Amino acid sequence: QVQPVESGGGLVQPGGSLRLSCAAAGTRLRAMIMGWYRQAPGKERELVASISSGDSTYYAESAKGRFTISIDNAENTMYLQMGSLKPEDTAVYYCNARLGQYNFWGQGTQVTVSS
């Protein structure tokens, strides 16, 4: 019923910016707890940012001041605006939607930060 689909990944140089998008047909995003996770090669998947009803947000320490999570209600789309990108931000980024006790995951989009 809920199938998140990410887009917007790519290759950027250090210090650059990138905007990731997540669409999840079937359910209004505002009805769920939404989040962005990432997984670097050989590393555990980690939470980068999340947003819930009332626009309550959470950011990992590594993302604070550089990343912004938001939801466009009209487009039913979640975004992750990433700035001042560093090589250590390189990872596959996943969209996650939580509805009650269920979690739904996208297939991921690759972000590579390299000069």
Side-chain angles (χ1 to χ4, degrees), residues 30-63:
R30 285 296 187 183
M32 303 181 288
I33 298 176
M34 304 294 301
W36 286 100
Y37 289 72
R38 69 185 181 188
Q39 187 167 21
K43 304 294 184 180
E44 297 287 331
R45 186 174 298 185
E46 63 177 346
L47 176 64
V48 178
S50 65
I51 185 169
S52 59
S53 60
D55 288 331
S56 178
T57 58
Y58 164 86
Y59 294 94
E61 285 298 321
S62 61

Side-chain angles (χ1 to χ4, degrees), residues 30-98:
R30 285 296 187 183
M32 303 181 288
I33 298 176
M34 304 294 301
W36 286 100
Y37 289 72
R38 69 185 181 188
Q39 187 167 21
K43 304 294 184 180
E44 297 287 331
R45 186 174 298 185
E46 63 177 346
L47 176 64
V48 178
S50 65
I51 185 169
S52 59
S53 60
D55 288 331
S56 178
T57 58
Y58 164 86
Y59 294 94
E61 285 298 321
S62 61
K64 289 181 179 178
R66 299 190 300 126
F67 295 2
T68 301
I69 187 171
S70 64
I71 292 176
D72 185 305
N73 295 314
E75 298 294 329
N76 199 40
T77 300
M78 177 176 68
Y79 301 99
L80 183 67
Q81 181 67 49
M82 305 185 293
S84 301
L85 285 165
K86 308 172 182 179
E88 49 262 47
D89 293 317
T90 296
V92 176
Y93 285 70
Y94 297 90
C95 175
N96 172 263
R98 183 169 77 84

